[in-house]
Amino acid sequence: MKSVILLLALATGLSSAQYYRPVGSGVNSRIISQTQEGPNTDGSYRWSYQTDNGINAEEEGRLKGIGSTNEAMDVRGGFSYTAPDNTPISLTYTADENGFRAFGPHLPTPPPIPIGIQRALEWIRTHPDPKYQSY
């Protein structure tokens, strides 16, 4: 019985390590390289993978401020792939005590402010409320 469970666990692990199926792609992609380190005792980790259809992804993280009230994960990573229209997509990201921030040439930086918000801000600027002007 133990050998059957071990064999099933091994087969499941091997099958999940060899193939990656992007959501909605309808295509199985083979993982051609993969690394994983951690989680380590200090909270750090690192992983990466590359598929035969050109998807590359990597991430590393570490725990900052261990034992303090400002303890937070500091994560940096990125991925790249080719979109269905053959546009190369590359994105890097950071996630830490300041939130998640993504960067890439295809992302607007900074994000555009919607027209309605722009108009409201302009109206507020040109019509200040007198009760807040004593500061």
Side-chain angles (χ1 to χ4, degrees):
M1 182 66 171
K2 288 182 184 178
S3 61
V4 172
I5 292 172
L6 179 61
L7 199 54
L8 286 173
L10 182 61
T12 303
L14 288 176
S15 65
S16 65
Q18 291 179 349
Y19 290 96
Y20 168 74
R21 185 178 181 149
V23 175
S25 70
V27 176
N28 286 332
S29 300
R30 186 166 170 74
I31 292 178
I32 56 177
S33 71
Q34 180 176 10
T35 62
Q36 183 168 342
E37 176 188 321
N40 300 311
T41 56
D42 64 354
S44 65
Y45 68 92
R46 179 181 300 197
W47 59 259
S48 66
Y49 67 87
Q50 180 181 11
T51 65
D52 63 356
N53 67 346
I55 298 171
N56 295 292
E58 62 185 355
E59 181 177 290
E60 63 181 82
R62 66 183 182 89
L63 191 56
K64 295 188 328 187
I66 297 173
S68 74
T69 58
N70 295 327
E71 188 172 280
M73 282 301 294
D74 181 29
V75 177
R76 301 194 188 294
F79 58 87
S80 63
Y81 64 94
T82 302
D85 65 355
N86 289 325
T87 303
I89 303 295
S90 180
L91 184 125
T92 59
Y93 57 87
T94 301
D96 55 20
E97 66 275 7
N98 299 312
F100 178 85
R101 295 171 310 282
F103 311 94
H106 61 289
L107 298 176
T109 308
I113 299 173
I115 296 296
I117 300 296
Q118 289 177 14
R119 288 182 186 144
L121 291 172
E122 180 60 22
W123 190 90
I124 290 168
R125 187 185 68 76
T126 58
H127 298 86
D129 189 330
K131 68 181 174 184
Y132 297 112
Q133 300 308 308
S134 62
Y135 294 108

